[in-house]
Amino acid sequence: MVPMNADGTQSYGLGLRGRVLSCGVKVYGHTGTGQGYYTYAFITADGQAQLMSMANTFNNGTVDTVLAGTLEAAFCGVDPVKSGKALRRGGEAATEDIAPGIPRP
């Protein structure tokens, strides 16, 4: 896996994403988009906790951002909707690209 951002909290390689969440938990998994769906599937580095979440929508940045927040909620106990804070450190948007480094049109 190679780093995908300056602070090293995100990495990517061979279809696998790595993230260090706001609480310091490291997770690995994959995201996906398709006709009518967004999906997230992640597991902690120690294999003790996992999450699979899905939304029935497509090309909806707000839903994608909230779906990304399920990682913080599941693994850190943070309620991303009530907190009103950015879902990632550094304040960047919490949406995913289909392939890192290749923005959506």
Side-chain angles (χ1 to χ4, degrees), residues 1-92:
M1 299 179 83
V2 296
M4 295 305 300
N5 61 356
D7 66 5
T9 59
Q10 293 193 49
S11 55
Y12 184 82
L14 298 175
L16 188 65
R17 295 180 183 279
R19 289 193 179 169
V20 178
L21 302 176
S22 65
C23 60
V25 171
K26 189 162 193 173
V27 296
Y28 297 96
H30 189 70
T31 61
T33 60
Q35 300 296 15
Y37 297 95
Y38 285 123
T39 60
Y40 279 68
F42 284 84
I43 189 167
T44 56
D46 64 8
Q48 296 297 306
Q50 57 188 342
L51 164 81
M52 184 0 202
S53 55
M54 188 267 307
N56 282 91
T57 189
F58 188 65
N59 290 334
N60 185 324
T62 300
V63 172
D64 193 26
T65 298
V66 171
L67 190 60
T70 62
L71 296 175
E72 293 285 334
F75 297 115
C76 297
V78 174
D79 183 335
V81 176
K82 290 182 181 178
S83 73
K85 297 178 182 176
L87 298 176
R88 290 188 188 156
R89 286 187 276 174
E92 72 259 27

